[in-house]
Amino acid sequence: MKETILLFNIPVREKRLKIGKVLLPLGIAVKAADKKDYLQSIGYLAGYKDMSGINDSYGGNELEGEMIVMAGLSGAKMETVLTALKKAGVQKTCLKAVLTDTNRFWTAPELYEELIKEYNKMNEQP
């Protein structure tokens, strides 16, 4: 699988371009997902050859925040990517995930909801 970064709900074109610019030297493909494709599995959007798409378009609300999914990266490469994303100005509040054998079957809204639960739990005040 080709190393890929999926961008969800990153609406500012300049920000998407800046992310692409810092990841280009790393040889990582950057793909901004269209809202209409949010019913597709994350794995399909990332380019998994064994996953097929569906012929339905998403008609729901946009994700509440930004989300980035890293697919096909090694642990060391992920650290480099996270540093590059920080350099590109990606906010700490942007949800980030690694594509796994489990979540590759989820849709963007499903993954976002799971990540927001984890984010809120980690940031709870005692």
Side-chain angles (χ1 to χ4, degrees):
M1 141 150 266
K2 184 176 180 179
E3 297 175 326
T4 305
I5 301 292
L6 297 173
L7 308 177
F8 295 89
N9 191 28
I10 299 184
V12 180
R13 185 174 186 271
E14 291 78 24
K15 189 172 187 177
R16 291 192 309 262
L17 289 173
K18 196 169 184 181
I19 291 169
K21 187 176 180 179
V22 298
L23 295 178
L24 181 65
L26 301 175
I28 299 171
V30 177
K31 181 180 176 187
D34 288 325
K35 180 182 160 191
K36 67 177 178 54
D37 293 328
Y38 284 5
L39 291 180
Q40 303 292 343
S41 69
I42 301 291
Y44 173 77
L45 294 174
Y48 269 76
K49 302 284 186 213
D50 64 337
M51 301 189 78
S52 55
I54 61 170
N55 291 325
D56 203 3
S57 290
Y58 178 74
N61 294 328
E62 181 58 84
L63 303 177
E64 290 181 29
E66 299 173 344
M67 180 172 73
I68 293 175
V69 179
M70 298 174 274
L73 280 70
S74 68
K77 192 87 169 242
M78 275 187 270
E79 288 300 319
T80 304
V81 166
L82 290 172
T83 300
L85 291 173
K86 188 174 182 179
K87 186 177 183 178
V90 172
Q91 301 291 325
K92 210 176 196 183
T93 55
C94 175
L95 300 177
K96 297 164 200 75
V98 174
L99 190 67
T100 67
D101 286 337
T102 300
N103 68 20
R104 74 183 184 127
F105 296 99
W106 299 356
T107 65
E110 290 170 333
L111 179 57
Y112 184 85
E113 287 303 314
E114 185 62 31
L115 291 175
I116 203 73
K117 285 179 198 172
E118 291 176 14
Y119 178 86
N120 288 338
K121 190 169 190 168
M122 289 184 342
N123 291 293
E124 282 180 353
Q125 298 297 322

